[in-house]
């Protein structure tokens, strides 16, 4: 999942070397939280107008997680 999120994020930003994806340990209910870190100047590109790109990234990630029976959340930092 980390690789998928990194590939998506690197394709959207101007500085792909600054992209990193970290995963927290699963919570009590089994949800894993993934944090996408990008350069400050690329924040707008990752979030998009009215959060549309961020919402699309979360939708793709949830779809991939369902296939592997995972519960996930994606946060953009």
């Amino acid at each position: 999942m980390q690789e998928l999120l990194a590939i998506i994020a690197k394709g959207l930003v101007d500085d792909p070397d600054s992209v990193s994806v970290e995963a927290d340990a699963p919570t009590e209910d089994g949800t894993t939280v993934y944090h996408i870190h990008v350069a400050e100047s690329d924040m707008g590109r990752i979030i998009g107008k009215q959060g549309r790109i961020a919402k699309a990234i979360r939708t793709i990630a949830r779809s991939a997680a369902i296939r592997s029976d995972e519960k996930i959340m994606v946060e953009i930092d």
Side-chain angles (χ1 to χ4, degrees):
M1 185 62 63
Q2 285 180 311
E3 293 175 20
L4 173 66
L5 292 171
I7 290 170
I8 292 170
K10 286 180 181 181
L12 293 171
V13 298
D14 286 334
D15 185 13
D17 295 333
S18 68
V19 174
S20 67
V21 179
E22 298 174 1
D24 290 345
T27 60
E28 296 170 357
D29 65 345
T31 302
T32 304
V33 179
Y34 290 94
H35 299 274
I36 301 175
H37 300 281
V38 296
E40 191 69 30
S41 60
D42 289 326
M43 233 8 172
R45 291 182 166 277
I46 268 300
I47 295 172
K49 289 186 179 180
Q50 297 180 352
R52 288 185 182 143
I53 294 175
K55 184 177 179 181
I57 292 170
R58 290 182 179 114
T59 301
I60 291 169
R62 279 194 204 113
S63 297
I66 288 172
R67 295 184 70 129
S68 60
D69 293 330
E70 287 183 73
K71 289 182 182 178
I72 66 161
M73 281 181 42
V74 178
E75 293 186 2
I76 299 169
D77 300 328

